[in-house]
Amino acid sequence: EFWGSETDLGSCLDVLENENSSTEQWWHKRNAQRLAKEDTRGPEFAALTAFRECDFAPVSMFFKMLNERRSVVNLSHYHLGPRGAMAIARSVDSSQDIGTLVLADCGLLDEGVAAMASAMRRNNSVVILDLSGNPFGEPAMREMAEAMLMNSSLVTLRLRDCKLGCVEMELLSKSLYDNTTVRTLDLR
């Protein structure tokens, strides 16, 4: 039971990592009726839709934070992986309530970081983005660099322990040259 339960998020994620069809079938069956009744304009509906499209069952903590309209969403150390990041990116893309998004050490990889960068192109509410501890390479940094040129709200970008190389650092520095909003870059 993921909706409003006191279930430990870690055990939920262990179940979600199992990609057999019974989990996917359970997800679609469990939420078909609920989706039909939801207000299609709210942030929870947008998140539900994004998670369903990515075939990733929702993380209860994320929904709790959305429902409470928290400005800080911290999902650090929950192994979301690229698919989880893609679902969260789609949700962030349509949310204007999130000011700080912390996805440190979530195993996002190139695909997940690129998805978050794509969301940041259109989102103008996130002022702090923390992707620390998620090693990624040139393809994801290219996406991030392009996003930083389009985003007008990001003030702090944390990329600690992302194992960035010379090529990634060059792309980052070029995008920062033209970006007028980022004031803090953490690469420790």
Side-chain angles (χ1 to χ4, degrees):
E1 181 79 23
F2 294 106
W3 303 107
S5 70
E6 295 296 321
T7 306
D8 173 44
L9 186 57
S11 64
C12 292
L13 289 174
D14 289 341
V15 171
L16 297 176
E17 289 297 319
N18 179 2
E19 294 194 17
N20 65 31
S21 62
S22 64
T23 303
E24 187 174 319
Q25 289 170 353
W26 173 86
W27 159 246
H28 290 293
K29 182 179 176 183
R30 170 74 172 92
N31 293 296
Q33 292 175 337
R34 183 176 179 167
L35 285 172
K37 295 177 187 176
E38 286 293 325
D39 176 8
T40 59
R41 295 166 289 161
E44 184 176 329
F45 181 80
L48 278 171
T49 303
F51 277 90
R52 187 168 40 102
E53 288 171 357
C54 291
D55 288 327
F56 190 85
V59 177
S60 61
M61 186 64 74
F62 182 68
F63 282 103
K64 180 179 178 186
M65 291 176 190
L66 277 181
N67 282 334
E68 293 173 355
R69 300 224 186 262
R70 290 191 187 176
S71 64
V72 177
V73 173
N74 185 346
L75 296 172
S76 294
H77 311 294
Y78 293 112
H79 186 76
L80 300 172
R83 287 178 33 187
M86 288 169 38
I88 288 172
R90 288 185 185 179
S91 300
V92 167
D93 189 20
S94 63
S95 174
Q96 295 302 312
D97 296 324
I98 301 170
T100 299
L101 181 60
V102 183
L103 299 173
D105 192 31
C106 286
L108 303 184
L109 307 176
D110 279 327
E111 189 177 21
V113 172
M116 291 309 306
S118 179
M120 294 305 295
R121 287 181 188 181
R122 294 174 292 281
N123 180 289
N124 285 314
S125 67
V126 175
V127 293
I128 299 172
L129 178 62
D130 188 345
L131 300 174
S132 298
N134 291 294
F136 61 93
E138 183 180 346
M141 184 53 83
R142 283 195 187 284
E143 288 289 327
M144 183 65 69
E146 288 178 27
M148 289 175 59
L149 294 174
M150 300 172 130
N151 183 284
S152 62
S153 65
L154 192 64
V155 174
T156 300
L157 179 61
R158 293 185 185 129
L159 300 173
R160 293 181 209 164
D161 300 320
C162 288
K163 303 193 184 338
L164 302 175
C166 293
V167 172
E168 292 84 5
M169 293 302 291
E170 183 179 352
L171 290 167
L172 181 62
S173 65
K174 285 179 181 177
S175 68
L176 285 173
Y177 183 78
D178 293 324
N179 181 293
T180 59
T181 59
V182 174
R183 293 186 190 127
T184 304
L185 176 64
D186 187 350
L187 298 171
R188 285 184 271 166

